[in-house]
Amino acid sequence: MGEKSSFAGSVLETIKTIVYALLIAGIFRTLFFQPFWIPSGSMKDTLLVGDFLFVNKMVYGYSHASCPSIRIASLGLDIDAEDICGWMKSDNSRIWGGEPQRGDVVVFRHPVSGSDYIKRLIGLPGDKIQMQRGQLFINGEPAPTEPAGTFTERFEPQGPEGRTPRCENGPVGAGGICEKSRYWETLPGGLKHAILNVTMQGSDNTGVYTVPDGHYFFLGDNRDNSTDSRVAQTAGGVGYVPYEDIIGRADRIMFSSAGRSMLFFWTWRSDRYFKAIE
């Protein structure tokens, strides 16, 4: 009888330890840092498919979007952030809110689908944003660009989604070298970051977007391969992102996997450990 009681007590203590650990992990993820694995190439070459990073949630304060969404299709689990923290959703405000800065690389919650996106913040409330022949204009002034060489990668399936990259020198056969023109773009305030070009397409010539109060305008650095604020939410794009849907700022890559899973340690890129995001 004593052995059974001791065993039951041991099992109970193990369960309590697991529950406490999950609660602590959940609180840590909600309040401080959220892990994020880059699934697509919309932010190349700043971020590559397979980069693993932590999102700083403290810098912008907290809203309902700060709570994690838990989606495990194989288990039929679909718990949205609003299911947990919907009580915080009100008037597009935040607790201890900090102001995002132009040029920040930001993770945000899509206002319609609830999916997490990562893009560069280009337009602040009240800004007028336009693309003309691939060049960015902010409040009527062009963002200066200068050539920065050629970005190259192999034409092969990338990441868990298995997407192949678009190439400026295409078509490229499997295993071939895929090229994109690379430029330095300088934003108002002096921040310089890399952008890529594949071709001239519709998203390179747009009307003028006037960013509403309390909202932000985002672009991917891989401009011709990014679903971002240039397309309205009703058309499947990102549109203007409300302040309350911002999750946090991406500051540093922890490590990066060139394989189909971040668990394939033999595919980790040795030059991207603890790399700062600029």
Side-chain angles (χ1 to χ4, degrees):
M1 184 72 176
E3 290 183 1
K4 289 183 179 180
S5 177
S6 177
F7 176 75
S10 177
V11 170
L12 181 60
E13 285 302 314
T14 299
I15 293 173
K16 286 167 63 177
T17 300
I18 293 173
V19 170
Y20 291 151
L22 290 174
L23 285 173
I24 292 170
I27 292 171
F28 182 87
R29 181 177 174 181
T30 300
L31 296 180
F32 303 111
F33 297 97
Q34 176 176 318
F36 193 86
W37 193 32
I38 303 300
S40 70
S42 68
M43 282 294 292
K44 292 177 182 176
D45 67 338
T46 304
L47 298 172
L48 303 180
V49 177
D51 282 350
F52 181 84
L53 49 88
F54 282 98
V55 179
N56 183 344
K57 291 188 170 185
M58 297 175 285
V59 67
Y60 302 141
Y62 305 97
S63 71
H64 73 282
S66 302
C67 284
S69 295
I70 305 171
R71 296 186 174 95
I72 306 176
S74 60
L75 300 178
L77 193 62
D78 187 1
I79 302 175
D80 189 75
E82 287 194 19
D83 296 331
I84 304 171
C85 293
W87 57 273
M88 295 179 66
K89 189 171 183 179
S90 56
D91 57 352
N92 197 26
S93 63
R94 307 179 71 85
I95 298 173
W96 302 316
E99 290 299 324
Q101 302 298 307
R102 193 192 317 277
D104 286 355
V105 176
V106 176
V107 173
F108 57 89
R109 174 185 167 88
H110 190 284
V112 176
S113 71
S115 300
D116 291 347
Y117 278 63
I118 185 166
K119 306 289 180 186
R120 190 175 298 276
L121 197 162
I122 298 296
L124 303 174
D127 281 346
K128 296 183 182 300
I129 308 295
Q130 185 177 24
M131 300 292 298
Q132 294 183 21
R133 296 193 59 79
Q135 184 167 27
L136 171 66
F137 283 73
I138 300 176
N139 296 323
E141 297 294 327
T145 58
E146 56 186 291
T150 303
F151 173 76
T152 62
E153 59 187 337
R154 289 201 174 277
F155 185 79
E156 58 188 5
Q158 298 180 346
E161 297 179 357
R163 297 180 185 178
T164 52
R166 294 180 65 197
C167 311
E168 190 175 15
N169 61 325
V172 176
I177 300 299
C178 177
E179 299 179 351
K180 299 177 181 65
S181 295
R182 187 172 183 266
Y183 298 89
W184 290 116
E185 179 178 81
T186 303
L187 299 176
L191 178 70
K192 180 182 289 189
H193 65 101
I195 59 173
L196 301 182
N197 178 71
V198 177
T199 186
M200 190 63 65
Q201 58 187 38
S203 57
D204 288 320
N205 291 282
T206 72
V208 176
Y209 303 94
T210 301
V211 185
D213 185 43
H215 292 70
Y216 297 87
F217 189 97
F218 292 90
L219 291 177
D221 289 348
N222 188 2
R223 292 283 163 80
D224 295 331
N225 195 49
S226 174
T227 300
D228 49 40
S229 292
R230 288 172 289 183
V231 179
Q233 297 159 14
T234 53
V238 169
Y240 305 118
V241 178
Y243 181 46
E244 67 179 349
D245 282 328
I246 288 176
I247 294 173
R249 186 179 68 202
D251 292 329
R252 190 171 297 273
I253 299 162
M254 305 308 293
F255 67 89
S256 180
S257 172
R260 299 298 296 272
S261 169
M262 66 179 177
L263 300 179
F264 295 172
F265 62 87
W266 58 90
T267 68
W268 290 4
R269 301 175 175 108
S270 60
D271 61 338
R272 297 185 74 78
Y273 291 113
F274 309 112
K275 180 179 174 65
I277 298 172
E278 300 175 348

